[in-house]
Amino acid sequence: MNHDTSLKEIIDDFEIKSLLSDLIHLIETPVSIEDVNGHLLLGEFIINSTAEYLIIADQQPIGSMKGDSSTQIIARLLSYLANQENLVFFDDLTTIPNRRYFNRYYQHNLFKG
């Protein structure tokens, strides 16, 4: 299933970007979050990182996280968020947009803002 979950859209969410920035600040290491095309989405370009972790949605890479071993948890968090985004909009069985989840997600975000 390819639902084209965009890592950029996830990171551009104000609350998620703020949370990621706080986490990056806490681990005190240079970090690079890039989409599958290598475009920098957050952090700084890192040429020689000690570790690189894929960010996966629906078993497909949607980006990567570079840094050291402490960045793995952030990559896992982004993978989780990307997969939750797909659950909201698509039914696993039929792969068509899921109205029930969409309405619940829409109402949640409507009252959250």
Side-chain angles (χ1 to χ4, degrees), residues 5-42:
T5 297
S6 168
L7 183 58
K8 181 176 178 7
E9 289 175 4
I10 293 169
I11 290 175
D12 281 347
D13 178 276
F14 177 77
E15 290 181 28
I16 292 174
K17 187 175 247 176
S18 177
L19 173 67
L20 289 172
S21 295
D22 289 347
L23 287 171
I24 290 168
H25 180 71
L26 282 174
I27 62 174
E28 298 177 339
T29 186
V31 168
S32 173
I33 302 175
E34 302 173 9
D35 66 13
V36 289
N37 298 317
H39 297 114
L40 182 67
L41 301 176
L42 191 65

Side-chain angles (χ1 to χ4, degrees), residues 30-63:
V31 168
S32 173
I33 302 175
E34 302 173 9
D35 66 13
V36 289
N37 298 317
H39 297 114
L40 182 67
L41 301 176
L42 191 65
E44 56 191 74
F45 274 113
I46 299 175
I47 296 171
N48 296 322
S49 66
T50 58
E52 181 175 358
Y53 302 99
L54 290 177
I55 299 165
I56 307 289
D58 276 343
Q59 301 173 347
Q60 298 292 321
I62 61 169

Side-chain angles (χ1 to χ4, degrees), residues 20-106:
L20 289 172
S21 295
D22 289 347
L23 287 171
I24 290 168
H25 180 71
L26 282 174
I27 62 174
E28 298 177 339
T29 186
V31 168
S32 173
I33 302 175
E34 302 173 9
D35 66 13
V36 289
N37 298 317
H39 297 114
L40 182 67
L41 301 176
L42 191 65
E44 56 191 74
F45 274 113
I46 299 175
I47 296 171
N48 296 322
S49 66
T50 58
E52 181 175 358
Y53 302 99
L54 290 177
I55 299 165
I56 307 289
D58 276 343
Q59 301 173 347
Q60 298 292 321
I62 61 169
S64 65
M65 177 109 192
K66 295 178 183 173
D68 63 20
S69 61
S70 63
T71 61
Q72 180 181 20
I73 190 72
I74 298 173
R76 288 180 54 205
L77 174 65
L78 286 168
S79 292
Y80 174 79
L81 291 171
N83 283 300
Q84 291 304 305
E85 194 80 8
N86 280 342
L87 285 176
V88 168
F89 294 110
F90 296 93
D91 185 280
D92 285 339
L93 231 49
T94 63
T95 69
I96 59 175
N98 189 329
R99 279 302 241 191
R100 183 170 41 105
Y101 284 117
F102 176 78
N103 287 336
R104 209 178 302 156
Y105 182 80
Y106 176 77

